[in-house]
Amino acid sequence: MPTPVIIDCDPGHDDVFALWLAAGNPEIDLRAVTTVSGNGYLKYTTLNARIALSVAGVEGIPVSAGAAAPLQRELTPADWIHGENALGGPELPTPTVPEDPRTAVQLIADTLKASDEPVTLIPTGPLTNIATFLMAHPELRDKIKEIIWMGGSTGRGNVGAYPEFNAWVDPEAADYVVRSGIPLTMVGLNISHQALITEEVIQRIGAIGNTTGAFGVELLRFFCNSYNEVEGMLEGPLHDPITVAIAIDRAVATVQRAHVDVETKGAFTSGATCIDLHDMLGKEKNVDVAITLDVDRFWSLIVDAVTALD
Ligand code: BDR
Ligand code: CA
């Protein structure tokens, strides 16, 4: 049976590939998509999620908008990587997929209630919606199988010396989710920087010859160009779909169980994930931290999913 999944995202170039991987892989049953402000303001991330599904011909999955701002802070969108509309590069079509009038929290609640089996939550942006949902619906916790989140880092960050963007945008939400006790796998920069978008990868996706692949190539070229300009990297890292790849096949990544705290107050480190890989603190190990990616398997999953779409 395919794994039932809700993706909570802030598309964002790599979020789009997470959506496509979930929609195009037979092991995943994508039940709902919710959006959060992060890479761009909510109006853009919601529109972009609808565009991502529309381009790929994925109809019938509800898409609802969530939080317009982090729990306690102002949003700083990642326009330096993703562009002002959070999806720079291709000309964006008017989506055929509509916006569901429910809030993200309501859609998550409805989807969990309607499911016979526990559902996997896959957030690929700041954790504002997930934390808000957990606060509002404690009675539905048992309907969540696990959370697989792209965020954090075992090492250095990408918005400062230590914090990673998704954790940094809403550290209070990340702290809440990490301490919630719900099984959590963290896909941080330490593993996502193994998913480098090589020229060979771009050629493989272009060679598929469908609409999704052509749109995807334009996304990847813009994204790599941003990484080149901002971080001096020729090959950008395709962070977000690693979460979905893990939901498809745990063997795609090794994990190490460790105690994780999210820094919410640091003068220089707000939003940093403090990951006690060497068990120096002797505290409860609360997170499966993804460490090493099977890079070939990961890209094969992406290529196969894009092939299966329009
Ligand atoms: C994360 O931040 C965003 O730019 C990406 O979509 C990814 O979710 C990487 O730090
Ligand atoms: Ca994202």
Side-chain angles (χ1 to χ4, degrees):
M1 287 289 283
T3 302
V5 154
I6 298 171
I7 293 188
D8 181 66
C9 56
D10 64 335
H13 298 69
D14 50 332
D15 302 80
V16 169
F17 278 85
L19 291 169
W20 288 347
L21 181 54
N25 185 287
E27 303 296 328
I28 298 291
D29 176 6
L30 181 58
R31 300 255 176 105
V33 173
T34 53
T35 59
V36 66
S37 54
N39 285 329
Y41 292 104
L42 187 66
K43 65 177 179 182
Y44 292 127
T45 58
T46 306
L47 180 65
N48 295 346
R50 293 167 55 213
I51 290 171
L53 296 175
S54 303
V55 164
V58 181
E59 306 279 341
I61 295 168
V63 179
S64 284
L71 293 180
Q72 298 177 21
R73 303 178 185 230
E74 293 239 332
L75 178 72
T76 305
D79 51 7
W80 61 93
I81 293 289
H82 297 276
E84 199 193 327
N85 67 356
L87 210 55
E91 193 178 320
L92 300 181
T94 303
T96 52
V97 170
E99 181 179 339
D100 190 290
R102 288 171 286 183
T103 65
V105 166
Q106 193 60 53
L107 177 56
I108 294 171
D110 288 351
T111 307
L112 295 188
K113 279 184 209 158
S115 180
D116 291 336
E117 55 182 314
V119 175
T120 297
L121 301 186
I122 301 187
T124 60
L127 287 169
T128 320
N129 289 343
I130 304 298
T132 305
F133 171 78
L134 293 176
M135 290 174 200
H137 289 285
E139 80 283 3
L140 291 174
R141 284 174 60 111
D142 290 349
K143 302 293 294 262
I144 302 170
K145 182 178 170 208
E146 61 172 327
I147 298 172
I148 309 176
W149 173 50
M150 193 284 137
S153 173
T154 62
R156 288 285 169 140
N158 60 0
V159 278
Y162 290 101
E164 177 280 332
F165 179 76
N166 290 337
W168 172 80
V169 166
D170 199 339
E172 286 74 23
D175 172 54
Y176 190 88
V177 172
V178 166
R179 289 192 297 105
S180 70
I182 294 171
L184 175 64
T185 299
M186 198 192 95
V187 174
L189 296 176
N190 53 289
I191 184 166
S192 71
H193 277 242
Q194 296 165 43
L196 294 176
I197 306 160
T198 61
E199 183 59 31
E200 189 221 330
V201 160
I202 297 178
Q203 296 293 339
R204 277 175 76 190
I205 291 171
I208 295 167
N210 61 6
T211 306
T212 309
F215 193 84
V217 166
E218 288 190 74
L219 291 178
L220 295 176
R221 292 235 179 267
F222 182 96
F223 191 63
C224 286
N225 192 50
S226 294
Y227 267 91
N228 193 0
E229 283 176 4
V230 175
E231 296 200 21
M233 293 172 68
L234 282 178
E235 299 161 344
L238 200 69
H239 316 274
D240 290 340
I242 297 172
T243 53
V244 181
I246 290 172
I248 294 167
D249 177 6
R250 313 300 300 197
V252 79
T254 64
V255 298
Q256 182 177 336
R257 198 146 179 83
H259 181 79
V260 176
D261 289 307
V262 180
E263 178 59 86
T264 56
K265 297 188 181 64
F268 306 107
T269 55
S270 178
T273 42
C274 306
I275 303 177
D276 189 12
L277 285 177
H278 304 296
D279 199 16
M280 304 300 285
L281 302 171
K283 286 183 169 176
E284 186 206 354
K285 295 179 174 157
N286 54 350
V287 178
D288 283 326
V289 181
I291 302 291
T292 305
L293 182 68
D294 181 339
V295 175
D296 291 344
R297 172 94 173 113
F298 171 74
W299 287 117
S300 292
L301 287 169
I302 296 285
V303 169
D304 289 350
V306 171
T307 306
L309 298 168
D310 277 4

